[in-house]
């Protein structure tokens, strides 16, 4: 596998078993993602794109085929090793934010660090730095109920970055946001990619997908397109995300 390849997928399939009923969701996928890429996985509802993201993010396992992450065969990892990969290698941004309602923005961001050896002072310093980076240094002690949708998603982005992951997964990150807030989120993701972060964005919207540099199109559990974005949407300051 080439040195700069982060993810390599070979003949990946996914099936779910319920009693005697087998539901096949993904059918023989093959692709690679290099370090530092910004890739959209785009497809309609029910296409299998979220299932694929869950497998790539170590939240689910494949049925057959192979998944290599930094050269490691993921299918050979045990539950503890998978949990370690989830904690240290990937960060997640979800459409529903997934924040703890009774915890402050800062507490939400540093939550993943409680499972590390990092001291309290280091945790607080890192959390504050990341919230400042997403423009929320004035909201450290606000709970999610005191934040707008866009602010909640920026807290979620800061949390996704707290363990300095190799890849950031963003699952419909603008789905619950207005145009202005959605634009701010895409601007942050593009800036992070400029800084060298690998971003994998899952979306059903063509316009949102075109903020990436490459689009993997998935339909009925199969990849039907894998193309560079020729006319990329650039989230500039002052503009808004048009849906």
């Amino acid at each position: 596998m080439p040195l700069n390849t982060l993810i390599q997928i070979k003949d990946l399939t996914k099936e779910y078993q319920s009693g005697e009923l087998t539901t096949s969701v993904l059918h023989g996928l093959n692709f690679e993602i290099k370090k530092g890429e910004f890739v959209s996985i785009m497809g309609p509802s029910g296409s299998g794109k979220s299932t694929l993201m869950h497998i790539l993010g170590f939240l689910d396992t494949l049925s057959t085929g192979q998944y290599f992450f930094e050269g490691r065969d993921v299918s050979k990892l045990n539950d503890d090793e998978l949990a370690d990969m989830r904690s240290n290698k990937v960060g997640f941004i979800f459409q529903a934010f997934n924040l703890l309602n009774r915890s402050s923005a800062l507490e939400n961001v540093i939550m993943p660090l409680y499972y590390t050896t990092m001291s309290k002072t280091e945790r607080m310093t890192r959390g504050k730095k990341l919230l400042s980076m997403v423009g929320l240094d004035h909201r450290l002690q606000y709970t999610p109920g005191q934040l707008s949708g866009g602010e909640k998603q920026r807290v979620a982005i800061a949390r996704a970055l707290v363990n300095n992951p190799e890849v950031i997964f963003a699952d419909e990150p603008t789905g619950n946001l207005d145009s202005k807030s959605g634009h701010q989120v895409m601007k942050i993701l593009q800036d992070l990619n400029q800084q060298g972060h690998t971003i994998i964005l899952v979306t059903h919207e063509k316009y949102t997908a075109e903020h990436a540099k490459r689009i993997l199109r998935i339909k009925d559990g199969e990849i039907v397109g894998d193309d560079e974005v020729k006319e990329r949407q650039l989230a500039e300051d002052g503009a808004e995300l048009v849906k």
Side-chain angles (χ1 to χ4, degrees):
M1 190 166 70
L3 286 176
N4 63 342
T5 299
L6 181 69
I7 288 170
Q8 187 176 39
I9 297 296
K10 293 182 177 181
D11 302 320
L12 182 148
T13 71
K14 179 62 181 178
E15 295 178 344
Y16 291 103
Q17 197 81 29
S18 178
E20 295 183 1
L21 179 66
T22 300
T23 304
S24 185
V25 181
L26 299 173
H27 317 286
L29 307 189
N30 290 278
F31 62 90
E32 292 183 4
I33 294 175
K34 292 180 170 60
K35 289 185 179 181
E37 277 202 273
F38 190 159
V39 180
S40 285
I41 299 173
M42 179 183 147
S45 179
S47 61
K49 61 185 186 297
S50 290
T51 299
L52 176 58
M53 189 201 79
H54 288 158
I55 293 171
L56 297 179
F58 315 111
L59 295 170
D60 201 351
T61 55
L62 53 78
S63 296
T64 64
Q66 290 178 296
Y67 170 19
F68 295 94
F69 187 94
E70 295 183 320
R72 296 181 73 184
D73 188 344
V74 174
S75 63
K76 291 191 166 73
L77 302 181
N78 61 36
D79 288 346
D80 287 342
E81 289 170 323
L82 284 171
D84 186 60
M85 296 285 270
R86 269 197 305 276
S87 297
N88 298 304
K89 295 295 184 179
V90 298
F92 294 99
I93 305 162
F94 295 102
Q95 179 176 348
F97 318 127
N98 290 12
L99 301 177
L100 297 174
N101 289 325
R102 294 185 180 180
S103 299
S104 69
L106 181 57
E107 288 167 338
N108 268 285
V109 169
I110 65 175
M111 194 69 64
L113 298 179
Y114 286 114
Y115 306 102
T116 70
T117 56
M118 193 178 288
S119 71
K120 181 180 179 181
T121 302
E122 289 175 308
R123 291 198 299 263
M124 299 291 275
T125 300
R126 179 146 182 78
K128 288 175 182 176
K129 180 181 177 183
L130 287 168
L131 282 169
S132 177
M133 189 196 76
V134 296
L136 291 176
D137 42 1
H138 61 305
R139 294 281 193 264
L140 299 181
Q141 300 306 323
Y142 282 51
T143 61
Q146 297 171 303
L147 300 173
S148 69
E151 288 171 336
K152 289 177 190 174
Q153 197 58 294
R154 283 187 276 156
V155 171
I157 291 171
R159 181 187 57 194
L161 290 166
V162 77
N163 274 329
N164 195 27
E166 285 294 332
V167 58
I168 299 163
F169 291 97
D171 190 5
E172 302 280 9
T174 63
N176 283 339
L177 306 179
D178 59 41
S179 292
K180 184 177 180 181
S181 298
H183 175 86
Q184 289 173 332
V185 165
M186 296 312 300
K187 173 90 170 63
I188 291 170
L189 292 179
Q190 288 187 333
D191 288 348
L192 288 170
N193 179 241
Q194 276 297 117
Q195 295 161 22
H197 290 276
T198 306
I199 312 285
I200 299 177
L201 169 71
V202 174
T203 184
H204 67 280
E205 295 174 338
K206 180 173 181 285
Y207 180 81
T208 302
E210 288 173 346
H211 283 76
K213 295 177 181 176
R214 172 184 165 202
I215 300 177
L216 276 172
R217 289 181 173 82
I218 188 166
K219 184 179 179 182
D220 298 329
E222 296 182 351
I223 291 174
V224 295
D226 183 354
D227 305 290
E228 285 187 24
V229 179
K230 291 186 172 61
E231 295 185 22
R232 190 183 183 204
Q233 304 292 345
L234 294 176
E236 301 295 340
D237 287 324
E240 289 191 10
L241 184 69
V242 179
K243 293 198 174 182

